[in-house]
Amino acid sequence: MTEPTAPQTDIQTEVHDEVTAPDSVGRWFGRLLKGFAVGVGAILPGLSGGVLAVIFNIYSQMIRFLADIRKDFVKNVLYFIPVGIGGLLGVVVFAKAVETAFETYAAQFIVLFVGFVIGTFPPSSGRRAGAAGALSTG
């Protein structure tokens, strides 16, 4: 006796629909801009390209594609071409912008980037979690 398969969740259906939906110029440029933002996130400290990919709903589609690369291969490649182009453009353009800014405003940008990195640390208020996970002072 075979076990029934679990029905697809709304997110799974939405991800599949996004990749297999008919493409248009606006959707293509939208994915290009999302890829650009992910590329910028890859350059900036304290900002993650992966987190931006999750926010822009690209990450789950990418993982689904990589998990079964043969399934809808051509559709997935065509879907991710503008994301890849945008990502490369984001890295190159923003790297050049950061380089130019560092030449002009070196001290300010160093402090800005240190602030970005410090901003990723969890707050330390002298409290710590006890065995049950409840915060206590100490």
Side-chain angles (χ1 to χ4, degrees):
M1 189 171 189
T2 61
E3 293 184 27
T5 58
Q8 282 190 333
T9 64
D10 291 337
I11 294 173
Q12 291 172 332
T13 305
E14 181 181 314
V15 167
H16 181 70
D17 291 346
E18 180 72 23
V19 173
T20 59
D23 217 359
S24 67
V25 174
R27 292 168 63 90
W28 196 92
F29 278 109
R31 290 193 309 273
L32 182 81
L33 291 174
K34 290 176 182 181
F36 188 88
V38 170
V40 169
I43 294 287
L44 284 177
L47 184 62
S48 169
V51 169
L52 289 174
V54 169
I55 291 169
F56 293 134
N57 200 22
I58 298 172
Y59 188 81
S60 58
Q61 296 163 1
M62 191 179 320
I63 295 300
R64 182 178 299 280
F65 172 46
L66 294 175
D68 189 2
I69 203 158
R70 293 183 196 152
K71 183 179 179 184
D72 295 328
F73 178 79
V74 173
K75 287 182 181 182
N76 281 311
V77 168
L78 291 175
Y79 179 85
F80 284 110
I81 283 175
V83 175
I85 292 170
L88 289 174
L89 285 173
V91 168
V92 171
V93 168
F94 206 73
K96 184 62 180 166
V98 168
E99 178 186 21
T100 303
F102 260 112
E103 290 172 358
T104 309
Y105 305 105
Q108 292 90 339
F109 263 79
I110 290 171
V111 171
L112 177 67
F113 285 161
V114 167
F116 283 160
V117 172
I118 290 172
T120 63
F121 294 139
S124 172
S125 62
R127 297 164 51 176
R128 53 188 167 195
L135 291 176
S136 63
T137 57

